[in-house]
Amino acid sequence: GGAGQPPAAPPAQQDPALVWGARFFDDAIRYVARGRSAMPNVADFYAKLDLKLELDTSRQEGQTRIWYKTPTMYRMELTSNGGTTTKILNGEQGWLKTPQGRVDTLAFTPEGQRTIQQLKDDRDRIGDIAKFLTLQALKGPGVQFRFDGYKRGSGPSQGNWIKITRIAPGKTNILFWIAYERTGENSVRATWPGIVRVEGDPARNYPTEDYILKEWDSPLSQTSRDFRYPRRIEAYSILKDAQGRTVPTRFLFAIVDDIKVNAGIDTTRVSPQ
């Protein structure tokens, strides 16, 4: 993108790419935290959004509210066609509440067990999204951030970016394309993460996934939060067709009305009552 090099050389005894990767990632955290040096690690997470989710085993579309409490509690309310369906996961237990008010215990049937597994997958995705939005939880012992240069994207990834790869022991890599702004003639500062790529795990048949985060700090978002968040989120599985060609397949589209982090969640939210 023609941004030039970082403004000064890092200490000779350290890998420059890792020094600048860590610095730019901390820049992005400060942007999300509205100038503070850190965001809290996510203990619980609430989101209200207009959601379209298309997975191999489930389809959901409508006004959605989500509660997530680490590590195992998850509740989703989907309102569509005038009725609300509620799915609850608490550890290994799960319940489905129909728009008519009937509550089914999912663990009692094979189909219910499959729904529990799907809820676990959904919960893990929500946990990942919470980390991508706050960034702080992606730091930790042994974790490194490598600066991979300035990039220019087109199509869904259009823009000028700083590319950073997160390298963590025993984990697949996470790649970030982060927007930036100039702070001087030869210096820049990273701002908001626009693209997050989670590399796949072929051994577990997990595809690579791209999360596109747009419209950070939109005036249409609620402005009472002490952190920034994107108004629009899209996610794609990076699949291969029969000819081996890459086929990005969208599985998530969401317009975000509200997000709360560590606001506390009443445990009755994850009980069948």
Side-chain angles (χ1 to χ4, degrees):
Q5 294 301 311
Q13 69 271 23
Q14 299 184 49
D15 183 341
L18 298 180
V19 172
W20 288 108
R23 172 181 165 170
F24 287 139
F25 197 80
D26 284 344
D27 282 349
I29 290 175
R30 281 190 290 273
Y31 176 87
V32 172
R34 296 190 187 276
R36 290 174 289 125
S37 61
M39 283 284 290
N41 286 325
V42 177
D44 58 68
F45 179 81
Y46 165 80
K48 179 183 178 184
L49 35 83
D50 190 355
L51 174 74
K52 185 175 183 179
L53 183 67
E54 299 176 286
L55 301 171
D56 290 341
T57 55
S58 66
R59 299 286 190 275
Q60 301 169 31
E61 184 172 3
Q63 293 292 324
T64 304
R65 296 198 298 168
I66 292 170
W67 292 261
Y68 165 71
K69 182 176 176 64
T70 61
T72 61
M73 298 181 182
Y74 176 69
R75 176 188 180 105
M76 186 196 73
E77 295 180 359
L78 174 66
T79 300
S80 180
N81 298 322
T84 299
T85 300
T86 302
K87 296 179 181 179
I88 299 170
L89 180 68
N90 191 345
E92 298 298 318
Q93 299 297 312
W95 298 272
L96 171 67
K97 185 175 181 180
T98 69
Q100 294 75 35
R102 188 183 76 246
V103 177
D104 296 331
T105 301
L106 297 173
F108 292 161
T109 66
E111 181 180 354
Q113 288 284 357
R114 288 190 291 271
T115 301
I116 287 176
Q117 184 57 54
Q118 183 61 59
L119 284 172
K120 289 180 178 179
D121 292 344
D122 293 348
R123 177 198 62 200
D124 292 346
R125 278 193 170 92
I126 291 298
D128 286 342
I129 289 174
K131 293 175 183 177
F132 301 157
L133 298 185
T134 61
L135 300 178
Q136 185 72 36
L138 293 169
K139 300 180 70 173
V143 176
Q144 296 179 313
F145 297 90
R146 186 184 68 220
F147 170 59
D148 292 331
Y150 297 98
K151 307 295 179 181
R152 175 171 290 168
S154 59
S157 60
Q158 183 175 1
N160 294 323
W161 310 106
I162 290 171
K163 184 181 177 184
I164 294 174
T165 298
R166 175 187 184 265
I167 305 166
K171 304 288 187 181
T172 58
N173 290 343
I174 302 177
L175 286 67
F176 293 85
W177 284 261
I178 300 177
Y180 60 88
E181 60 189 10
R182 290 189 177 276
T183 56
E185 184 177 353
N186 294 307
S187 61
V188 300
R189 176 171 55 223
T191 56
W192 44 273
I195 306 162
V196 182
R197 172 171 292 174
V198 183
E199 290 187 342
D201 185 347
R204 302 171 67 185
N205 200 31
Y206 288 172
T208 293
E209 293 182 345
D210 281 359
Y211 293 81
I212 314 297
L213 311 176
K214 298 182 178 181
E215 300 178 31
W216 284 83
D217 222 7
S218 163
L220 296 176
S221 300
Q222 296 189 18
T223 59
S224 59
R225 301 287 166 260
D226 59 359
F227 58 92
R228 294 179 168 96
Y229 63 86
R231 170 76 173 165
R232 179 171 158 180
I233 301 173
E234 299 179 47
Y236 295 80
S237 293
I238 310 302
L239 306 177
K240 298 285 188 180
D241 65 12
Q243 289 73 42
R245 295 172 297 193
T246 299
V247 182
T249 304
R250 193 175 74 182
F251 66 83
L252 171 68
F253 178 84
I255 299 297
V256 181
D257 292 320
D258 192 17
I259 287 177
K260 297 177 182 177
V261 174
N262 296 348
I265 293 178
D266 189 337
T267 55
T268 61
R269 293 281 186 189
V270 287
S271 68
Q273 286 75 23

